[in-house]
Amino acid sequence: MWSMVVSVPLLPAVVMVLGRYRVEVAALSHRALAWALRLLRGAPCVRSAHAFVFSNCTHGKVDSVLETFDLYADTHPSLCISPQIAEALDAAVKRVRPSRVLELGMHCGYASVRLLRLLPPAGRLITVEMDPLAGELGEEVILVAGFKPSQFQVLPCSSAEAIPTLHPFLESDDGTGDGLDLVLMDHDPQQYLPDLLALEREELLSASGCSLLLIYRNQRAEDHREILDHIRGRPGSYCIGSELQFMLEISYRKEKHDGI
Ligand SMILES: C[S@@+](CC[C@H](N)C(=O)[O-])C[C@H]1O[C@@H](n2cnc3c(N)ncnc32)[C@H](O)[C@@H]1O
Ligand SMILES: *[C@@H]1O[C@H](CO)[C@@H](O)[C@H](O)[C@H]1NC(C)=O
């Protein structure tokens, strides 16, 4: 009773604070909800996803590996891209027809397998995963899907560590360096801009054009804004391809007079 008497006069202040920090409060409740859901359903588990796919798919059959992943995600929490993102990713890869692809954030290898199946025979995927267990199990999934070690490279480290070491992986057999045609970022939105800057600095993006696909799972406007400011400030090099709710596609092309 007393607490009610005390709290009623505070109500306007609480409403004002809630209004002022609307975005923060919404983000906080979103996170609390995600946390509660995870408690109820269990955390996404790389070991369990791997075991399910490994023992239930037909080895050597790409489509079976992907279908088994989908089956797993129907009944378990999963960090793999959703069917909606997968469809958008496939469409982008078919349009760009890349041969050198970088994936940041491999997890169990689901998106890696999707990417690899669309590459030309001489194509190559470099995929980076900082969780060593996920890196190991993801690599096994790629092999189970039937891809050869010459078609991909798993780098078990953070994106920031991996990027400066990428040059040798991009060299052709004749020793000439080809840049990346496509980069998929699905690791940590806070890293998207620093990693993009590092890729530019290291001149790893193909001079003839590169598509960058940035995945946003939890909608956070501020994550978009930083990177959008950067690319809008460089109209000679970048243009925004498509801006889906969960995926931002950016096209890069090297320009001589960029005014940096
Ligand atoms: C959402 S999952 C990736 C899912 C994957 N693309 C798929 O759909 O199959 C994100 C992964 O990125 C990894 N990760 C997070 N930050 C990273 C970083 N800075 N460098 C490398 N990997 C990172 C996490 O360990 C996690 O496995
Ligand atoms: C394989 O799939 C069945 C049926 O969907 C499931 O019950 C089983 O746990 C899976 N195997 C593993 C090792 O996860």
Side-chain angles (χ1 to χ4, degrees), residues 30-254:
H30 182 262
R31 244 173 284 162
L33 188 68
W35 179 77
L37 272 178
R38 219 164 348 165
L39 263 188
L40 282 176
R41 302 174 63 199
C45 172
V46 66
R47 233 184 246 287
S48 139
H50 172 269
F52 188 100
V53 172
F54 191 85
S55 58
N56 280 315
C57 75
T58 308
H59 286 211
K61 296 263 185 269
V62 181
D63 289 343
S64 165
V65 169
L66 294 176
E67 281 159 19
T68 313
F69 262 117
D70 292 340
L71 212 61
Y72 179 81
D74 283 345
T75 48
H76 298 77
S78 161
L79 283 181
C80 298
I81 49 170
S82 65
Q84 195 185 22
I85 302 181
E87 206 175 292
L89 174 65
D90 279 6
V93 177
K94 285 177 186 163
R95 183 163 23 82
V96 175
R97 306 208 293 149
S99 68
R100 313 256 148 193
V101 179
L102 172 67
E103 177 187 35
L104 301 178
M106 169 177 75
H107 193 56
C108 282
Y110 175 76
S112 319
V113 169
R114 285 201 90 91
L115 286 165
L116 273 162
R117 82 197 206 291
L118 297 175
L119 298 192
R124 192 170 166 81
L125 171 76
I126 304 166
T127 180
V128 179
E129 174 52 58
M130 102 183 157
D131 171 358
L133 176 65
E136 204 179 294
L137 299 180
E139 177 159 13
E140 194 171 40
V141 163
I142 298 177
L143 292 168
V144 161
F147 296 103
K148 296 186 209 70
S150 59
Q151 293 172 282
F152 69 94
Q153 179 74 45
V154 177
L155 302 178
C157 57
S158 74
S159 50
E161 288 168 305
I163 289 169
T165 71
L166 292 183
H167 284 286
F169 300 113
L170 291 171
E171 267 171 21
S172 311
D173 293 337
D174 60 6
T176 57
D178 292 324
L180 295 161
D181 308 306
L182 187 101
V183 179
L184 173 67
M185 295 197 190
D186 187 22
H187 54 323
D188 171 8
Q190 300 295 332
Q191 271 305 117
Y192 290 1
L193 182 57
D195 287 346
L196 174 60
L197 296 176
L199 288 167
E200 277 184 46
R201 200 166 48 240
E202 297 287 335
E203 302 198 358
L204 288 161
L205 306 177
S206 171
S208 56
C210 176
S211 273
L212 298 130
L213 305 174
L214 316 185
I215 308 293
Y216 289 91
R217 286 147 185 270
N218 305 312
Q219 296 314 302
R220 300 218 317 216
E222 69 268 32
D223 294 330
H224 280 73
R225 203 189 315 132
E226 265 195 324
I227 207 147
L228 287 173
D229 284 351
H230 175 70
I231 59 183
R232 288 199 179 114
R234 308 266 309 277
S237 298
Y238 287 106
C239 82
I240 297 174
S242 60
E243 217 170 326
L244 302 175
Q245 199 193 7
F246 47 82
M247 186 172 95
L248 178 65
E249 183 175 356
I250 303 166
S251 309
Y252 169 88
R253 133 178 88 81
K254 192 177 167 76

Side-chain angles (χ1 to χ4, degrees), residues 1-11:
M1 179 63 200
W2 272 111
S3 62
M4 246 178 84
V5 172
V6 173
S7 55
V8 165
L10 286 176
L11 219 55

